[in-house]
């Protein structure tokens, strides 16, 4: 019997080793698509059904960045491009999770589960992006990053359930209503506008944290400005930033509803001019430009020009409740374009001027985030981001200072022109992804100053 018992002990030992190795591998190589319980798609209501009663809000939301989140051609092309050639499981896992914020109804109902899934198979309802029933079915969040909303949708149009929002006295003949403090707070925005690398934990987007730690997040309700306090007050002709007035938007939320002192707007343009222009929504193009033009200011100090040949530019974040720029800031470009001419209009100094292809010179002062591979080497693909190598963005109500060293003509009269420019992504990246010059992203001048110095 002893050989048989030894055989059993040997088998148990081998089994234990295999289990240990299996557990070790599972910790270092998490599954690309974790399993979850899905809602049935039929539980969500089409946005145009909501528009039947909330027509004004529905029209604002149409062609917004929320509505077009899964139809944005720049996002679609870049997210697919960044998947190519990845072999590290953690990097693949991160690159496959973009859909969680861009097509949330699809993710919570089972398709798509990852970025590489066939977009042609995404249900039409899910293609409507961040939509009415998704946000107004939210009850809270498991965590305030990577879109971990807690949802309690109804059962479709026949049994729509409870819709939650900022009103304590809302009434509807179609669905039940419930006041939600969560919908009045920046936290609901933070669920998508904070992003951490799913494998490495690197902070990839920190818009909510930037507000949370900033000067607009105060205990005093008279000075506290939430995300909604700017982005859901904006409308045509009203930029509603920290540097402008943010008057209420009186009106009705629903067709037969009472007159309200303020109806939260749903334009959601952010700083993107390219996407609304691609669908010929010029009103939203103008709104995005207005937001950018009321976010920052420039001051030019030429007091040291004669003695040292130096000019100092002060760039101040006067209008944004988050850093400038924010969002996917390894891609966003905010930079200084400086041109200095002499009395004969000859250029004696230039920096930050795009070349004929729209590419910026290497020495350009760009305000952005640069991620690294964990060994100090910069990476272009955010899926590889294991560390932050640089972050020179400008916090709310703070300033950055840049020194311009002029050539030897410091005794001459000079005309100095400084522009703070913005673009959603580098033209060089667009050329790599789509082909040379096929997608041209617009440049918006956020602020400009020109001064004659002696």
């Amino acid at each position: 019997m002893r050989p048989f018992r030894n055989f059993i002990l040997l088998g148990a030992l081998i089994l234990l080793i295999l289990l240990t190795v299996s557990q070790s591998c599972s910790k270092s190589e998490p599954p690309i698509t974790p399993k979850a319980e899905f809602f049935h798609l039929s539980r969500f209501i089409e946005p145009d059904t909501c528009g039947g009663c909330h027509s004004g809000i529905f029209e604002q939301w149409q062609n917004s960045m929320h509505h077009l989140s899964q139809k944005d051609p720049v996002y679609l092309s870049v997210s697919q491009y960044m998947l190519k050639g990845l072999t590290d499981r953690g990097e693949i896992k991160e690159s496959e999770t973009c859909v969680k914020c861009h097509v949330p109804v699809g993710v919570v109902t089972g398709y798509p589960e990852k970025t590489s899934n066939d977009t042609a198979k995404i249900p039409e309802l899910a293609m409507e992006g961040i939509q009415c029933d998704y946000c107004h079915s939210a009850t809270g969040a498991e965590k305030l990053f990577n879109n971990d909303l807690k949802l309690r949708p109804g059962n479709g149009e026949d049994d729509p359930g409870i819709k939650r929002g900022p009103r304590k006295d809302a009434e509807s003949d179609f669905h039940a209503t419930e006041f939600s403090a969560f919908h009045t707070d920046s936290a609901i925005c933070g669920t998508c506008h904070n992003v951490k690398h799913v494998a490495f934990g690197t902070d990839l987007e920190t818009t909510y944290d930037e507000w949370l730690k900033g000067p607009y997040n105060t205990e005093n309700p008279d000075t506290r400005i939430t995300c909604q306090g700017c982005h859901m007050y904006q409308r045509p002709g009203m930029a509603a930033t920290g540097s402008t007035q943010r008057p209420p938007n009186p009106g009705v939320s629903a067709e037969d509803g009472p007159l309200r002192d303020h109806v939260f707007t749903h334009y959601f343009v952010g700083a993107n001019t390219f996407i609304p222009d691609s669908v010929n929504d010029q009103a939203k193009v103008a709104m995005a430009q207005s937001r950018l033009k009321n976010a920052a200011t420039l001051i030019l100090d030429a007091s040291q020009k004669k003695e040292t040949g130096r000019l100092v530019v002060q760039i101040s974040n006067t209008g944004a409740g988050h850093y400038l720029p924010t969002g996917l800031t390894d891609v966003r470009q905010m930079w200084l374009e400086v041109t200095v001419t002499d009395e004969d209009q000859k250029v004696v100094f230039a920096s930050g001027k795009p070349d004929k292809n729209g590419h910026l010179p290497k020495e350009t002062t760009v305000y952005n985030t640069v991620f690294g591979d964990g060994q100090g080497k910069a990476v272009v693909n955010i899926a590889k981001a294991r560390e932050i190598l640089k972050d020179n963005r400008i916090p709310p109500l703070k300033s950055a200072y840049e020194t311009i060293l002029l050539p030897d003509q410091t005794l001459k009269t000079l005309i100095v022109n400084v522009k703070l420019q913005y673009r959603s992504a580098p033209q060089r990246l667009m050329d790599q992804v789509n082909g040379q010059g096929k997608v041209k992203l617009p440049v918006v001048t956020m602020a400009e100053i020109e001064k004659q110095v002696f």
Side-chain angles (χ1 to χ4, degrees):
M1 294 296 291
R2 180 171 296 175
F4 181 71
R5 188 172 66 178
N6 290 343
F7 178 77
I8 292 176
L9 290 172
L10 179 61
L13 179 61
I14 292 172
L15 179 61
L16 179 62
I17 291 171
L18 288 174
L19 286 172
T20 303
V21 171
S22 174
Q23 290 174 355
S24 173
C25 289
S26 67
K27 289 178 181 178
S28 61
E29 296 186 348
I32 292 175
T33 306
K35 291 184 178 179
E37 291 189 17
F38 299 120
F39 296 105
H40 197 281
L41 185 65
S42 64
R43 294 185 64 178
F44 289 91
I45 297 169
E46 294 278 356
D48 57 1
T49 298
C50 304
C53 286
H54 304 280
S55 60
I57 290 173
F58 176 76
E59 289 172 8
Q60 295 168 9
W61 170 83
Q62 287 274 63
N63 296 334
S64 69
M65 294 307 297
H66 280 186
H67 176 210
L68 300 177
S69 60
Q70 184 57 26
K71 300 175 183 177
D72 175 347
V74 174
Y75 153 70
L76 291 171
S77 61
V78 172
S79 61
Q80 294 297 325
Y81 178 82
M82 294 303 183
L83 269 167
K84 295 177 181 178
L86 295 180
T87 57
D88 181 275
R89 288 183 64 85
E91 294 173 4
I92 294 171
K93 184 180 179 184
E94 170 57 36
S95 202
E96 291 282 23
T97 60
C98 303
V99 289
K100 197 169 184 183
C101 284
H102 280 263
V103 57
V105 171
V107 171
V108 300
T109 57
Y111 197 91
E113 292 188 73
K114 52 187 181 179
T115 305
S116 61
N117 283 152
D118 185 356
T119 56
K121 295 180 180 179
I122 297 175
E124 185 178 348
L125 173 59
M127 285 295 293
E128 297 292 337
I130 297 104
Q131 53 195 270
C132 321
D133 205 16
Y134 181 75
C135 289
H136 291 280
S137 290
T139 62
E142 295 291 347
K143 56 182 183 293
L144 295 182
F145 58 90
N146 294 8
N147 194 8
D148 210 355
L149 279 180
K150 294 189 286 187
L151 300 175
R152 192 178 298 162
N155 292 290
E157 292 188 23
D158 293 335
D159 179 18
I162 301 172
K163 304 308 164 198
R164 299 162 184 86
R167 306 266 181 231
K168 295 183 178 180
D169 61 345
E171 295 181 358
S172 171
D173 295 331
F174 179 60
H175 56 73
T177 63
E178 184 177 279
F179 167 73
S180 167
F182 183 58
H183 284 74
T184 70
D185 191 75
S186 294
I188 191 172
C189 308
T191 58
C192 266
H193 292 281
N194 260 14
V195 178
K196 290 182 181 291
H197 197 294
V198 294
F200 310 144
T202 316
D203 286 323
L204 304 180
E205 298 185 39
T206 56
T207 304
Y208 172 70
D209 283 348
E210 293 158 21
W211 170 85
L212 191 68
K213 300 171 185 176
Y216 296 102
N217 178 23
T218 71
E219 296 295 328
N220 184 347
D222 294 330
T223 57
R224 177 181 173 86
I225 304 175
T226 61
C227 305
Q228 296 92 325
C230 283
H231 289 275
M232 297 186 78
Y233 274 65
Q234 188 185 15
R235 60 255 197 202
M238 186 59 61
T241 70
S243 63
T244 71
Q245 295 296 311
R246 297 179 304 281
N249 177 48
V252 296
S253 296
E255 308 300 9
D256 298 324
L259 182 66
R260 305 286 188 179
D261 292 336
H262 177 68
V263 177
F264 287 99
T265 62
H266 289 66
Y267 291 99
F268 299 124
V269 295
N272 198 305
T273 59
F274 176 78
I275 301 306
D277 187 54
S278 70
V279 294
N280 199 29
D281 193 332
Q282 297 308 310
K284 287 188 175 63
V285 172
M287 289 175 65
Q289 291 172 338
S290 175
R291 181 161 290 281
L292 285 165
K293 290 176 182 292
N294 287 279
T297 58
L298 295 173
I299 295 176
L300 179 62
D301 178 4
S303 59
Q304 300 181 51
K305 186 253 181 183
K306 283 187 178 180
E307 293 78 13
T308 64
R310 296 174 187 270
L311 304 174
V312 177
V313 182
Q314 177 182 343
I315 310 98
S316 300
N317 178 351
T318 54
H322 44 68
Y323 284 30
L324 283 179
T326 194
L328 195 62
T329 53
D330 66 315
V331 172
R332 306 284 178 256
Q333 283 190 319
M334 187 178 82
W335 75 94
L336 281 184
E337 182 178 329
V338 181
T339 306
V340 182
T341 56
D342 63 16
E343 295 166 318
D344 300 321
Q345 298 184 338
K346 178 184 176 182
V347 176
V348 297
F349 177 85
S351 174
K353 187 175 181 60
D355 64 19
K356 64 180 181 179
N357 295 316
H359 303 166
L360 297 181
K362 288 184 179 180
E363 72 276 6
T364 303
T365 301
V366 180
Y367 301 92
N368 65 351
T369 307
V370 176
F371 293 106
D373 64 355
Q375 299 181 353
K377 183 180 179 181
V379 295
V380 174
N381 191 338
I382 201 168
K384 299 175 179 289
R386 288 168 169 82
E387 61 184 336
I388 298 173
L389 299 179
K390 165 200 162 188
D391 185 356
N392 67 338
R393 297 174 301 133
I394 307 174
L397 300 183
K398 298 291 185 181
S399 300
Y401 297 86
E402 302 296 341
T403 300
I404 302 168
L405 183 59
L406 295 171
D408 292 336
Q409 295 99 330
T410 51
L411 297 179
K412 294 182 179 180
T413 298
L414 300 176
I415 299 170
V416 182
N417 180 276
V418 182
K419 296 177 182 177
L420 184 65
Q421 307 282 48
Y422 177 83
R423 183 165 53 188
S424 296
Q427 188 57 49
R428 196 180 301 276
L429 175 61
M430 291 296 96
D431 292 345
Q432 290 173 352
V433 172
N434 302 290
Q436 184 72 36
K438 289 186 177 180
V439 175
K440 284 278 191 181
L441 296 183
V443 174
V444 177
T445 299
M446 298 175 63
E448 180 176 8
I449 188 170
E450 185 167 289
K451 197 170 187 177
Q452 184 171 313
V453 299
F454 302 94

